[in-house]
Amino acid sequence: MTQPILTIKNLSAGVEGREILKGINLTIRPGEVHAVMGPNGSGKSTLASILAGRDGYHITGGEVVYCGQDLLELEAEDRAREGVFLAFQYPVEIPGVNSTYFLKAAYNEIRKHRGQPEFDAVEFLKFVRERMKILEVPEDFLKRPVNHGFSGGEKKRNEIFQMAVLDPKLAILDETDSGLDIDALQIVATGVNRLKRPDNAQLVITHYQRLLNFIVPDYVHVLVDGRIVRTGGKELALELEENGYESIVHGGAVPA
Amino acid sequence: MITTETKTKLNPNQPRRETVPYWEKFEQFEKIAKDPEWVRVARKAGISHFVELGFPTLKDEDWRFTNVAPIAKLPFKPVLEPTRDGVTAEALEHFMFAGLAGSKLVFVDGHFAPELSSTVNLPEGVKVKSLAEAIAKGPAQVEPHLFHHARSDASAFTALNTAFFKDGAFIYVPAGQIVPEPIQLLYVSTAKEDGTTAHLRNLIVAERDSQVTIVESYVSLSDAAYLTNSVTELVAGDNAVVEHLKLQDESQQAFHITTLAAHFGRASNVLTHSIALGAKLSRTNIHAHLAGEGLECILNGLYLTRGEQLADHYMVVDHAQAHCDSHEYFNGILADKSKSVFHGRILVRPDAQKTDAKQTNKNLLLSDNATANTKPQLEIYADDVKCTHGATVGQLNEEAIFYLRSRCIGLETARRMLIHSFAGEIIDRVRCQPVREELDKLVWDRLEQDEQKTTGNK
């Protein structure tokens, strides 16, 4: 079998003495789409944050191997340069930073990291316009300050646009569906699907099954109270939608 | 309507002790000044008001956070004669906005330097010259405006300026004329002794339907603890379009007090910027009198402070007529033990219905020892108005830093990007492109220096 993109082994972590993740195991191979579903407070966003390198979490046990290297040893920016991308649940508005400038700086960091010459303004614009075409992103996304004054839908779309520019190996989508109407949801999902390739992978974190009608996962993991209590195929999401998390927590056979 | 503390009226012949040297100096000065009667009267009133008011103290509500005792303690040395030996065009070159090809007037220690100044491409009737000369030779355009907007009876510093000013710029744009190139005013200090004081007095009149851009820069070739005490009166006529920028980049020992007293006519559009980078202590007063209906003005400002600097902005926006929009945007970036003060008073008079007044003051503290004081003050006497104000004081947004890092951008670059963007919000409002670009570079270089210093101290 090919080398996994991500292997999480028995990962335990928390904040200030409170344990949130209590032994997570997860393996993601190239070409796969994994969904992690779970109720509020189950640790979904903590998992995304820890993978992306957000400060403030204590790792109390286990390990995370990304393409053969210890992911937890890397700074957030180095993870991103190595191809880990987090689409934020709440993308941050940065007034005063022009989107083109920001994207060019981000993209050139990756090029530097790979030992490639940096793109100048003209080269970058040519490249970024091609990426925009794939996702049908409006031109003014480039001209406006990063996320500033964007609607909720525009912000999520901008996350996927950034994903298209940075071309990650592992994309983590943290509740990218939250707060979106059905049209915005379809646009975002279509974008994500267009970026799927046999050599990359996607980890979709969501509370609701709705997004998974559009981004079809190969595996669904149910996260409850910091543990993955069940793993199945895409039909597991539908079961959850019908019976709720309660049935799985209390009714199903919960592995220890 | 400007409230000041009631002070005991004193006989000018028995002045307060601290003002005695000023009074004596005035008597000497009056003997050598050759002013027309109307100016003499104003000067006399100025010194009397100064003696009555004395320097403000921390007990004065409008000066609560800014202690001018160090100014009061300085020996008072107004520069009464030109002193510009050694100042060459080459020495001033890097202070100029290089991208501006228009007229420039240079003043050295408050005196006009004609050999360093030039006027080019001025449309018919437009005047860009020394105020002293204008008073002497053509007072018809000066007398109706000078002393009318900046009031000596309400401010000790304006009173002192009125008593002692030697010169400044006079800019007159007749009705309907458009000045295509921005006009540059450069004020240089060469003070060799502490207490050296330049009292600049400027008058800018843009008549109805005219358009003009003015850039004022205060710079220094001196290390002394000098004082700049200047007053600019700005009149924008009906339908006039005016952009005005003041760059304060005085030496780190200097004291800087300026007042912009502005009068805006019906349907005028005025954009004014105050950029404060230098001085040990700076106070910028802006009094905007919105005197006609349907006008729009933006007061925009940025201050960067470090070391033990203090930058104070005191604004009064006086909505006297209906349907006017005023927006104030002030951002500050404070490092080390520096301090800032923002005082924004919005007065909406009973006739000023449909007023739309906005005010924001945002402060970014780069050190735990920096202090930002912000004081909005709304007085509303009309009932159909929109007035909003907001102030923030905080550190760099950790979430924004993480967001940038998660997009491959390193921690230091992310910090710089955010600091720069904070300044950029303000600089982006400068309409005149060459000025905006040079200012952006100047501010960026200054922030980089600070950043290097901060990193070096760690």
Side-chain angles (χ1 to χ4, degrees):
Chain A
M1 261 184 137
T2 49
Q3 187 197 30
I5 288 180
L6 187 76
T7 312
I8 303 175
K9 284 183 204 154
N10 209 21
L11 178 68
S12 301
V15 282
E16 286 165 5
R18 191 166 60 88
E19 196 155 62
I20 299 172
L21 301 182
K22 301 166 182 172
I24 301 271
N25 290 291
L26 185 65
T27 300
I28 300 178
R29 293 178 193 280
E32 293 178 351
V33 177
H34 289 243
V36 170
M37 302 183 68
N40 283 334
S42 58
K44 300 188 302 286
S45 282
T46 299
L47 178 62
S49 294
I50 288 173
L51 293 177
R54 188 192 292 268
D55 286 339
Y57 295 95
H58 300 294
I59 310 298
T60 49
E63 60 172 355
V64 180
V65 179
Y66 169 78
C67 297
Q69 55 183 327
D70 182 353
L71 186 71
L72 302 178
E73 282 294 301
L74 298 177
E75 296 288 350
E77 55 269 36
D78 290 323
R79 298 182 196 194
R81 292 165 190 168
E82 286 285 338
V84 176
F85 179 89
L86 172 65
F88 279 53
Q89 184 178 1
Y90 305 110
V92 184
E93 293 198 18
I94 311 182
V97 175
N98 169 277
S99 289
T100 309
Y101 170 77
F102 157 74
L103 278 174
K104 180 167 159 271
Y107 184 68
N108 273 332
E109 287 293 345
I110 291 186
R111 291 187 64 89
K112 269 194 280 185
H113 189 73
R114 292 178 186 157
Q116 295 166 324
E118 291 183 40
F119 269 180
D120 66 22
V122 178
E123 288 167 321
F124 180 72
L125 216 58
K126 187 165 170 271
F127 161 76
V128 85
R129 288 228 160 89
E130 279 164 20
R131 307 308 291 175
M132 289 176 93
K133 260 188 225 149
I134 299 173
L135 296 185
E136 296 163 46
V137 171
E139 181 79 21
D140 76 328
F141 269 42
L142 280 182
K143 290 180 185 150
R144 290 155 73 177
V146 180
N147 291 325
H148 185 60
F150 282 38
S151 70
E154 285 177 325
K155 281 181 188 167
K156 296 296 174 82
R157 212 169 156 188
N158 201 19
E159 293 291 284
I160 306 308
F161 171 47
Q162 291 173 25
M163 175 176 154
V165 172
L166 301 178
D167 191 20
K169 217 176 196 61
L170 174 67
I172 304 157
L173 311 178
D174 187 7
E175 303 214 20
T176 295
D177 51 334
S178 64
L180 296 190
D181 63 31
I182 194 73
D183 295 338
L185 189 70
Q186 265 177 327
I187 291 172
V188 164
T190 306
V192 172
N193 289 332
R194 283 183 187 166
L195 298 171
K196 190 183 161 183
R197 284 201 314 258
D199 63 339
N200 64 20
Q202 296 166 351
L203 176 60
V204 181
I205 291 171
T206 181
H207 187 93
Y208 304 103
Q209 182 271 338
R210 196 177 59 145
L211 178 66
L212 305 181
N213 290 334
F214 303 100
I215 301 173
V216 181
D218 301 299
Y219 298 94
V220 174
H221 311 276
V222 182
L223 185 67
V224 177
D225 191 25
R227 289 189 181 90
I228 291 177
V229 296
R230 254 181 91 181
T231 293
K234 61 181 185 233
E235 64 288 344
L236 180 54
L238 293 167
E239 187 189 326
L240 274 175
E241 181 76 3
E242 252 166 56
N243 304 327
Y245 290 108
E246 285 297 302
S247 71
I248 287 191
V249 182
H250 300 295
V254 180
Chain B
M1 286 295 282
I2 294 158
T3 51
T4 49
E5 269 177 65
T6 318
K7 297 212 167 151
T8 324
K9 297 263 176 188
L10 289 176
N11 182 337
N13 296 324
Q14 297 169 328
R16 290 157 66 137
R17 195 186 53 82
E18 64 172 25
T19 55
V20 169
Y22 298 85
W23 184 256
E24 288 171 0
K25 200 63 105 182
F26 183 74
E27 286 179 330
Q28 294 169 24
F29 173 57
E30 220 191 358
K31 281 177 201 139
I32 58 162
K34 300 177 200 77
D35 293 313
E37 184 60 18
W38 63 278
V39 176
R40 267 168 35 87
V41 169
R43 288 194 190 279
K44 262 237 147 70
I47 192 67
S48 301
H49 287 305
F50 175 71
V51 169
E52 272 170 36
L53 295 165
F55 284 107
T57 68
L58 295 176
K59 286 183 195 138
D60 189 326
E61 188 56 32
D62 291 343
W63 293 84
R64 248 175 77 194
F65 302 106
T66 302
N67 187 0
V68 296
I71 297 177
K73 281 186 198 127
L74 285 175
F76 182 58
K77 292 179 184 150
V79 186
L80 302 179
E81 298 297 334
T83 55
R84 59 176 178 280
D85 36 302
V87 181
T88 59
E90 291 73 45
L92 301 182
E93 205 165 351
H94 73 281
F95 293 129
M96 295 287 187
F97 282 91
L100 301 187
S103 301
K104 33 189 85 107
L105 300 186
V106 176
F107 297 85
V108 179
D109 299 318
H111 291 261
F112 181 49
E115 74 284 6
L116 300 171
S117 307
S118 58
T119 55
V120 284
N121 283 337
L122 291 181
E124 179 78 32
V126 173
K127 294 193 175 127
V128 177
K129 63 202 294 193
S130 131
L131 179 69
E133 192 195 323
I135 289 172
K137 290 184 185 162
Q141 289 160 337
V142 180
E143 201 177 343
H145 303 289
L146 191 67
F147 311 130
H148 287 251
H149 305 289
R151 303 251 313 265
S152 284
D153 57 348
S155 153
F157 287 102
T158 298
L160 198 60
N161 174 284
T162 305
F164 285 100
F165 78 91
K166 282 294 293 187
D167 211 341
F170 173 59
I171 296 172
Y172 181 83
V173 186
Q177 285 292 19
I178 290 165
V179 185
E181 295 282 351
I183 297 164
Q184 247 191 114
L185 307 176
L186 183 73
Y187 315 108
V188 192
S189 173
T190 67
K192 294 188 180 58
E193 294 171 311
D194 290 356
T196 303
T197 302
H199 297 282
L200 283 143
R201 184 82 180 209
N202 305 302
L203 175 63
I204 301 165
V205 180
E207 297 280 18
R208 70 180 161 77
D209 301 318
S210 68
Q211 190 173 329
V212 64
T213 299
I214 293 134
V215 181
E216 299 186 82
S217 310
Y218 290 89
V219 301
S220 170
L221 297 168
S222 159
D223 292 322
Y226 65 89
L227 167 67
T228 299
N229 176 27
S230 67
V231 173
T232 297
E233 288 173 282
L234 166 65
V235 181
D238 293 352
N239 220 29
V241 178
V242 177
E243 178 165 14
H244 169 264
L245 182 139
K246 182 188 92 164
L247 169 64
Q248 184 272 101
D249 199 11
E250 306 260 26
S251 93
Q252 291 288 317
Q253 323 310 323
F255 298 93
H256 174 96
I257 313 271
T258 55
T259 293
L260 174 68
H263 182 94
F264 305 148
R266 188 181 184 284
S268 59
N269 182 316
V270 181
L271 175 57
T272 162
H273 317 275
S274 170
I275 313 293
L277 306 181
K280 184 188 180 104
L281 181 158
S282 71
R283 160 89 163 204
T284 303
N285 302 299
I286 302 178
H287 297 264
H289 184 54
L290 280 53
E293 288 195 1
L295 67 85
E296 200 181 316
C297 68
I298 294 175
L299 312 185
N300 188 42
L302 173 70
Y303 42 92
L304 311 185
T305 57
R306 58 190 195 274
E308 299 193 353
Q309 279 183 297
L310 181 150
D312 180 349
H313 280 90
Y314 179 95
M315 252 82 54
V316 180
V317 175
D318 182 349
H319 279 263
Q321 296 290 334
H323 294 283
C324 294
D325 292 0
S326 71
H327 294 168
E328 291 166 74
Y329 305 98
F330 278 76
N331 283 11
I333 302 173
L334 291 81
D336 307 327
K337 291 184 190 164
S338 65
K339 291 194 172 90
S340 74
V341 182
F342 173 89
H343 183 133
R345 182 164 174 244
I346 298 173
L347 172 60
V348 181
R349 294 183 191 267
D351 288 340
Q353 300 294 1
K354 303 285 180 191
T355 286
D356 185 354
K358 268 199 208 100
Q359 181 188 89
T360 25
N361 173 226
K362 297 199 279 186
N363 295 281
L364 179 59
L365 305 185
L366 300 180
S367 130
D368 293 339
N369 300 318
T371 313
N373 296 290
T374 177
K375 192 181 164 199
Q377 196 185 341
L378 269 53
E379 280 174 64
I380 302 170
Y381 301 104
D383 53 15
D384 184 11
V385 301
K386 253 199 306 195
C387 288
T388 58
H389 67 88
T392 59
V393 178
Q395 272 113 35
L396 283 174
N397 180 349
E398 289 296 329
E399 186 62 13
I401 292 177
F402 175 59
Y403 189 73
L404 294 172
R405 292 179 78 188
S406 80
R407 300 297 181 256
C408 312
I409 292 162
L411 177 61
E412 274 313 303
T413 313
R415 280 175 51 88
R416 281 174 201 196
M417 223 181 233
L418 292 175
I419 294 170
H420 193 195
S421 78
F422 198 77
E425 282 177 42
I426 298 299
I427 294 171
D428 283 350
R429 282 197 195 88
V430 176
R431 272 185 214 138
C432 176
Q433 190 192 347
V435 173
R436 185 176 65 241
E437 285 171 359
E438 278 189 60
L439 191 65
D440 191 54
K441 192 176 173 309
L442 178 69
V443 167
W444 187 226
D445 287 349
R446 218 48 78 82
L447 287 169
E448 287 288 286
Q449 282 170 18
D450 282 359
E451 190 70 22
Q452 277 162 17
K453 223 182 90 207
T454 318
T455 334
N457 287 345
K458 271 176 196 163

